[in-house]
Amino acid sequence: MLGSVMDAEDIVQEAFLAYDQLPDSAAIHNERAFLYKIVTNRCLDLLRSSAKKRELYVGPWLPEPLIEKGTLEGDPSDVYLQRESISTAYLLLLQQLNAVERAIFLLREIFHYSYEEIAEMIGKSSANCRQIFHRAKSSIHFDPDQTPSISMAEAQIKEFVNSLLQGNTNKMLELVSENVVFYSDGGGKVKAAQIPVAGFNQVIGLHRNLLNMYEGNYTFSFLTVNGLPGVRILLADNIQYVYSFAFKNNQIQAIYSVANPDKLRHI
């Protein structure tokens, strides 16, 4: 809903505190739905109150990177769906929806609530929720089959980084789409491209220049970012960049870099 790890953690904590302070929690017949309702409504309130701040944001806005601790457990198909639903590409698609559309879409698409249950949480009729969901779904074009398996994506990203370091253009042409787009979120607080950089030559050229500029003054590590393999780069002056990737036709289609320190405080 929010694209913010810290805001999400705050709202979940507030929801449990609100539940804990109920005079008679035994009267709640469906605790899960009750908690979802609290969380959803607080998310809607926060999104409405922060809409103006988003409009004034400097450069591309990207969701905060969620660095996974441990592995997701449960049914493999559910784990796959959870990974897709927190990927940077998916979170960016959700930004196209207004707050209410996003809530209804997620409650139905990811959490499989009935329209009657969603109506009770959102405060709209079930028919209206059904209509909003179908409108939201038709406006979001997301094909999870475009994303390779976790192991394959990890191998491709490691190959991409090694090829970039070695200057192996032929290998990078195999791994990266000609139409790749690079999005860099510095929030106006650290050095970052203030508009998306498009095209293989431009994106690779930019990164080669950065490697030359910071030669010997950076370290990098591979980690899980928003459910999928990613990279963390740490400069000598403690500025860090967290990279995540989107794929299409088994090639890297988009590269996302978050460097805004406000979005990396939890890492």
Side-chain angles (χ1 to χ4, degrees):
M1 279 291 288
L2 304 174
S4 166
V5 176
M6 290 176 289
D7 287 342
E9 288 176 344
D10 288 345
I11 281 182
V12 170
Q13 185 175 9
E14 288 171 14
F16 279 109
L17 285 171
Y19 176 78
D20 194 49
Q21 291 165 5
L22 287 172
D24 184 16
S25 59
I28 305 298
H29 300 299
N30 187 336
E31 293 172 326
R32 184 170 180 263
F34 181 80
L35 288 167
Y36 271 50
K37 182 175 183 177
I38 294 176
V39 168
T40 300
N41 287 328
R42 294 193 181 213
C43 285
L44 292 173
D45 290 343
L46 183 58
L47 285 169
R48 289 174 183 132
S49 66
S50 60
K52 190 68 180 175
K53 193 187 297 182
R54 179 74 62 84
E55 288 174 14
L56 301 173
Y57 197 81
V58 177
W61 179 93
L62 294 175
E64 284 182 18
L66 176 64
I67 305 303
E68 195 172 305
K69 297 171 184 174
T71 56
L72 293 170
E73 296 179 357
D75 181 87
S77 60
D78 289 341
V79 170
Y80 181 76
L81 185 63
Q82 287 176 52
R83 286 189 184 278
E84 288 298 332
S85 70
I86 59 171
S87 70
T88 304
Y90 194 79
L91 292 177
L92 281 173
L93 281 174
L94 292 177
Q95 303 306 312
Q96 300 173 21
L97 306 176
N98 67 39
V100 172
E101 288 173 337
R102 204 180 310 171
I104 291 171
F105 179 79
L106 289 171
L107 288 168
R108 179 67 179 171
E109 182 80 354
I110 305 299
F111 299 108
H112 310 299
Y113 274 103
S114 69
Y115 291 112
E116 289 72 22
E117 290 170 314
I118 296 170
E120 187 179 344
M121 293 182 206
I122 301 294
K124 294 183 178 290
S125 71
S126 58
N128 198 359
C129 287
R130 184 188 299 271
Q131 189 177 31
I132 291 170
F133 171 76
H134 288 296
R135 187 170 66 234
K137 191 172 177 68
S138 65
S139 70
I140 286 187
H141 304 289
F142 185 75
D143 184 2
D145 293 334
Q146 293 288 350
T147 304
S149 67
I150 300 298
S151 58
M152 189 177 293
E154 186 176 12
Q156 283 183 255
I157 289 166
K158 286 181 177 178
E159 276 192 282
F160 164 67
V161 171
N162 289 332
S163 300
L164 186 61
L165 291 171
Q166 295 162 10
N168 188 341
T169 303
N170 289 334
K171 188 62 182 176
M172 282 189 286
L173 282 166
E174 292 177 23
L175 298 166
V176 181
S177 166
E178 288 184 15
N179 302 313
V180 65
V181 182
F182 173 62
Y183 303 87
S184 184
D185 179 347
K189 301 189 176 185
V190 298
K191 192 178 289 186
Q194 294 202 2
I195 59 171
V197 179
F200 178 89
N201 290 332
Q202 288 79 4
V203 171
I204 299 304
L206 171 66
H207 281 84
R208 280 180 171 160
N209 289 337
L210 290 172
L211 286 172
N212 291 332
M213 188 186 306
Y214 293 103
E215 186 175 4
N217 290 310
Y218 68 89
T219 58
F220 68 90
S221 55
F222 297 101
L223 70 178
T224 301
V225 182
N226 290 25
L228 296 169
V231 181
R232 177 182 182 234
I233 299 170
L234 185 63
L235 302 184
D237 54 6
N238 283 328
I239 293 175
Q240 61 179 330
Y241 295 78
V242 176
Y243 277 63
S244 54
F245 302 82
F247 293 84
K248 187 175 183 180
N249 299 324
N250 286 321
Q251 287 187 308
I252 295 170
Q253 181 75 18
I255 302 173
Y256 310 101
S257 171
V258 177
N260 184 342
D262 292 342
K263 294 185 175 184
L264 301 177
R265 284 179 292 178
H266 61 288
I267 299 176

